[in-house]
C-alpha cells in the first residue's frame, strides 16, 4: 500500500476548500474536534463515531521485554494504549461489499 499520510494540515486544507470559512476558523474547529475526541478517550476510555469506528483505551500491565541491541532483559512499565476498531458499515465499504 502506498500513498501519502493524511495530516491535520491536510484536513484543514480540505475543509477550507469546501467551505466559506477562513483557514484560521477551520483550524480552530479541527483543533476543537480533536480536543473533544482526546478528552472523551481520556475520560470515558472510549469514543464511538457511528459509521466510522470506535477508539478504545485500555491499560497494559508491566511486562518483561528485551533490548535487541544488548539482549538485556528489561521490565516495560504499565501504560495505556488506544486501539481503533472499524464499524461494520465502514469495513464493508472498504471491502467493496
Amino acid at each position: 500500500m502506498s500513498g501519502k499520510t493524511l495530516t491535520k494540515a491536510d484536513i484543514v486544507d480540505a475543509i477550507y476548500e469546501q467551505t466559506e470559512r477562513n483557514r484560521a476558523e477551520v483550524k480552530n474547529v479541527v483543533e476543537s474536534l480533536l480536543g473533544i475526541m482526546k478528552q472523551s478517550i481520556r475520560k470515558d476510555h472510549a469514543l464511538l463515531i457511528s459509521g466510522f469506528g470506535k477508539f478504545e483505551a485500555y491499560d497494559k500491565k508491566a511486562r518483561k521485554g528485551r533490548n535487541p541491541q544488548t539482549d538485556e532483559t528489561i521490565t516495560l512499565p504499565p501504560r495505556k494504549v488506544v486501539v481503533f476498531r472499524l464499524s461494520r458499515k465502514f469495513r464493508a465499504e472498504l471491502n467493496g461489499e
Side-chain angles (χ1 to χ4, degrees):
M1 179 176 171
S2 66
K4 181 178 174 278
T5 299
L6 184 70
T7 65
K8 186 168 40 174
D10 295 333
I11 293 170
V12 170
D13 288 344
I15 295 171
Y16 168 73
E17 291 169 9
Q18 296 174 20
T19 65
E20 299 292 318
R21 304 282 178 219
N22 68 45
R23 199 175 298 272
E25 287 177 311
V26 172
K27 183 176 185 217
N28 287 339
V29 169
V30 170
E31 291 286 350
S32 293
L33 173 64
L34 294 173
I36 291 166
M37 293 172 71
K38 285 184 207 177
Q39 185 178 2
S40 175
I41 293 168
R42 205 177 282 127
K43 179 177 163 252
D44 303 324
H45 301 286
L47 169 67
L48 174 65
I49 302 172
S50 296
F52 184 67
K54 185 175 187 178
F55 295 88
E56 288 182 285
Y58 66 95
D59 294 316
K60 270 192 139 180
K61 295 179 180 169
R63 61 186 175 91
K64 290 196 185 298
R66 181 181 61 83
N67 180 334
Q69 293 178 330
T70 63
D71 247 5
E72 173 189 6
T73 301
I74 56 175
T75 301
L76 299 168
R79 61 193 171 121
K80 289 193 182 300
V81 295
V82 175
V83 294
F84 175 73
R85 300 182 202 294
L86 284 175
S87 71
R88 281 188 219 128
K89 181 180 177 185
F90 190 23
R91 183 177 294 119
E93 289 175 21
L94 279 178
N95 291 308
E97 298 170 9

